[in-house]
Amino acid sequence: MTRRLVITGLGATTPIGGDVDTLWTNALAGTPGAKTLEHDWVEKYELPVTFAAEVSVEPAEVLARPETRRMDRSTQLGMVAARQAWDDAGLSRPGDEGYDLDPERVAVSFATGIGGVWTLLDSWDTLRERGPRRVMPMTVPMLMPNGAAGAISLDLGAQGGARTAVSACASGVEALDVALEMLRKGDADVVLAGGTEAAIHPLPMAAFSSLQALSKRNEDPAAASRPYDRDRDGFVMGEGAGALVVETEEHAKARGATIYAELAGSGITSDAHHITAPDPEALGASRALRRALESAGAELGDVTHVNAHATSTPVGDKPEYAALRSVFGDHLENVCISATKSQTGHLLGAAGAVESVLTVKALHERRAPVTINLDHQDPEMPLDVVTGSPRDLGDKQQVALCNSFGFGGHNAVAAFRTY
Amino acid sequence: MADKNEILAGLAEIVNEETGLEVEEVKSDKSFTEDLDIDSISMMTIVVNAEEKFDVKIPDEEVKNLATVGDAVDFIANAQG
């Protein structure tokens, strides 16, 4: 028998809120997270893009000083979100009074797109400028992409496995697929799942610029991320982390946990089309959507809401529309779309995690968050996009999807159901 | 050139920066591993930072002989001498 899986805890640190309540309030109101960068390296390296969406609460304000010294910024952000989600779920750690979890039944699935890019590049600078003796011994555990998963497993005492999905901008949703697999296999009862990214560093900024992927709207950062808009010109680099506690329904009920929604299913496919460009026919994305619906046991008519990948690039938004149209057909008229990257920017490997948090909140609160900057909707993508004010999703049992697609041709879709 | 009290104070700052331990806890008779709970990775970080701060070389094979804070202070003082 398939085990039913539920979401019992949420955490996030993002450009529009350092916790889930602030993120949610801002996402309903419509809050641009992008700002002009004030770092001296922007001018020093003459970066063509001078803005990004940095987290609104610095991790150093939340974590203890020795912790920040031993973690790359990406792990710091992941740790902040993970602890929020764990506490929100009412779960304890080994050593806490009344600790009653079996640590071997607790696991971590924490993703990233790039990993410890700040540590890697800072250490390279240190080696070149000051020699090998000055390269710190924590460099390797800080830069490795599984650094966040490992550090979080230590923090929570999770001994049931600590895994890291790495699939560029699909990583955050793929982390949920990994969690689902661990739980359905019966390897764990509780999984802390999520994703993190901290790549607002001159090299990734220059590299994404070089790919022509970033918006160049330097004079108006708040208006730069504009998915589905006629005048979109690229994505806005963001940073942050999202975390969700996924557990078996049985385990959640036994401990009297608050259940936000069901993690009903997920779908993973790959395009095998092009290393960066999406397949214009969106066959891979369509198959991921169908797989997610099938694994969730959901009918097309059950779906009311999609948190879309919608990065605001000229070439990226259309294939996602094509995939939705091919899968949903006329049902698409009854599905409202939120493109929350219009507010948060694109959090790369954390995007799917933060957007899954928003999708779960939408189902639990029965309201879909807004899309900003949609002044002239591209007529080639006739979608019912939520703008202006949040959309009431109604009382009936329903399913919502969270889409994430990544360089490498990765397609990942998570399906959530009201509980 | 720093005297031993200055070296102790400087070392305490380095330890505080790396571990969060209060500078007052970093006394000459304290063992890095037993009393201050400093692992080998933190110890190497402290050593490298001390080398820079006091302009000395502390060879890797010497680090295992630095059991207490006082041992480190003496080694640095001699190395500077």
Side-chain angles (χ1 to χ4, degrees):
Chain A
M1 184 191 136
T2 306
R3 303 168 95 190
R4 204 168 172 201
L5 311 178
V6 294
I7 308 289
T8 56
L10 300 173
T13 183
T14 75
I16 61 165
D19 56 79
V20 172
D21 285 348
T22 309
L23 165 69
W24 182 242
T25 302
N26 284 334
L28 293 178
T31 310
K35 294 184 178 70
T36 299
L37 291 169
E38 289 173 3
H39 308 288
D40 54 7
W41 46 257
V42 177
E43 199 169 332
K44 182 176 173 190
Y45 298 117
E46 299 174 5
L47 294 179
V49 173
T50 59
F51 65 98
E54 296 181 294
V55 286
S56 57
V57 176
E58 276 296 310
E61 293 174 33
V62 184
L63 300 171
R65 173 104 177 114
E67 289 182 317
T68 57
R69 283 179 55 83
R70 288 185 149 227
M71 297 178 199
D72 180 79
R73 184 175 178 84
S74 62
T75 296
Q76 293 171 21
L77 295 171
M79 184 64 75
V80 168
R83 285 180 179 164
Q84 288 175 6
W86 206 245
D87 292 344
D88 183 42
L91 291 163
S92 55
R93 297 164 178 75
D96 287 354
E97 200 178 326
Y99 178 74
D100 56 356
L101 294 170
D102 175 354
E104 296 180 11
R105 306 287 306 161
V106 178
V108 172
S109 167
F110 219 82
T112 185
I114 305 178
V117 66
W118 270 101
T119 297
L120 175 66
L121 295 169
D122 278 355
S123 306
W124 174 231
D125 288 345
T126 300
L127 173 64
R128 288 190 299 178
E129 290 162 15
R130 301 163 79 187
R133 185 66 172 170
R134 296 294 306 168
V135 174
M136 289 294 153
M138 278 300 286
T139 303
V140 170
M142 285 171 68
L143 68 82
M144 61 195 192
N146 56 313
I152 291 165
S153 75
L154 275 170
D155 195 62
L156 306 180
Q159 298 175 353
R163 295 174 60 181
T164 303
V166 177
S167 50
C169 306
S171 305
V173 166
E174 190 166 341
L176 284 169
D177 178 80
V178 170
L180 184 144
E181 181 191 316
M182 293 171 107
L183 291 161
R184 284 194 176 162
K185 269 172 73 187
D187 289 346
D189 298 321
V190 188
V191 181
L192 186 289
T196 186
E197 205 75 79
I200 304 178
H201 174 286
L203 181 73
M205 289 291 290
F208 279 110
S209 294
S210 171
L211 260 177
Q212 308 300 317
L214 296 182
S215 167
K216 294 191 172 67
R217 203 177 287 259
N218 290 331
E219 70 293 351
D220 191 5
S225 188
R226 41 197 317 115
Y228 306 126
D229 190 82
R230 195 183 59 192
D231 300 321
R232 68 192 185 280
D233 74 327
F235 78 78
V236 172
M237 182 82 103
E239 63 172 0
L244 303 92
V245 174
V246 192
E247 63 185 299
T248 64
E249 181 186 39
E250 187 185 8
H251 192 268
K253 279 190 163 171
R255 64 183 192 88
T258 300
I259 294 172
Y260 289 113
E262 179 186 356
L263 174 59
S266 58
I268 305 285
T269 63
S270 44
D271 283 348
H273 167 75
H274 186 276
I275 196 68
T276 57
D279 173 4
E281 292 182 65
L283 299 175
S286 303
R287 284 186 293 116
L289 283 162
R290 289 197 187 93
R291 279 190 177 172
L293 291 169
E294 189 180 334
S295 82
E299 305 291 330
L300 293 176
D302 298 338
V303 179
T304 55
H305 171 57
V306 174
N307 189 308
H309 186 58
T311 63
S312 174
T313 60
V315 297
D317 293 1
K318 270 181 204 163
E320 183 179 22
Y321 165 74
L324 289 167
R325 177 61 71 187
S326 84
V327 171
F328 282 93
D330 292 341
H331 280 291
L332 197 53
E333 317 306 325
N334 306 315
V335 178
C336 70
I337 309 286
S338 296
T340 47
K341 286 187 184 75
S342 61
Q343 302 189 51
T344 62
H346 189 353
L347 274 53
L348 310 181
V354 168
E355 287 152 21
S356 289
V357 168
L358 289 169
T359 310
V360 168
K361 283 295 282 183
L363 284 179
H364 188 243
E365 307 272 337
R366 309 280 179 160
R367 282 192 291 176
V370 303
T371 304
I372 60 171
N373 296 327
L374 188 59
D375 297 332
H376 303 283
Q377 188 166 347
D378 188 331
E380 292 184 41
M381 295 179 284
L383 288 162
D384 178 11
V385 182
V386 180
T387 57
S389 55
R391 183 76 55 87
D392 186 342
L393 294 175
D395 294 333
K396 77 173 178 94
Q397 280 288 93
Q398 54 197 287
V399 169
L401 306 178
C402 182
N403 288 349
S404 283
F405 310 120
F407 284 172
H410 304 280
N411 306 298
V413 179
F416 303 95
R417 188 181 278 115
T418 45
Y419 189 92
Chain B
M1 199 71 57
D3 70 23
K4 286 193 179 181
N5 283 334
E6 287 166 348
I7 293 171
L8 177 63
L11 204 53
E13 281 173 26
I14 291 170
V15 171
N16 164 265
E17 182 87 347
E18 173 64 16
T19 66
L21 284 166
E22 297 297 333
V23 289
E24 296 78 32
E25 292 179 58
V26 185
K27 294 183 183 144
S28 286
D29 60 340
K30 298 278 184 174
S31 157
F32 285 110
T33 52
E34 302 296 316
D35 299 321
L36 303 180
D37 200 24
I38 289 170
D39 65 18
S40 60
I41 292 179
S42 281
M43 190 64 193
M44 280 313 297
T45 307
I46 289 163
V47 163
V48 170
N49 284 322
E51 285 184 335
E52 172 134 316
K53 186 161 196 150
F54 301 112
D55 193 24
V56 295
K57 286 267 177 289
I58 307 176
D60 287 351
E61 57 274 18
E62 194 61 43
V63 174
K64 64 177 182 300
N65 299 326
L66 307 179
T68 65
V69 173
D71 294 342
V73 172
D74 289 344
F75 185 91
I76 292 165
N78 287 335
Q80 283 188 327

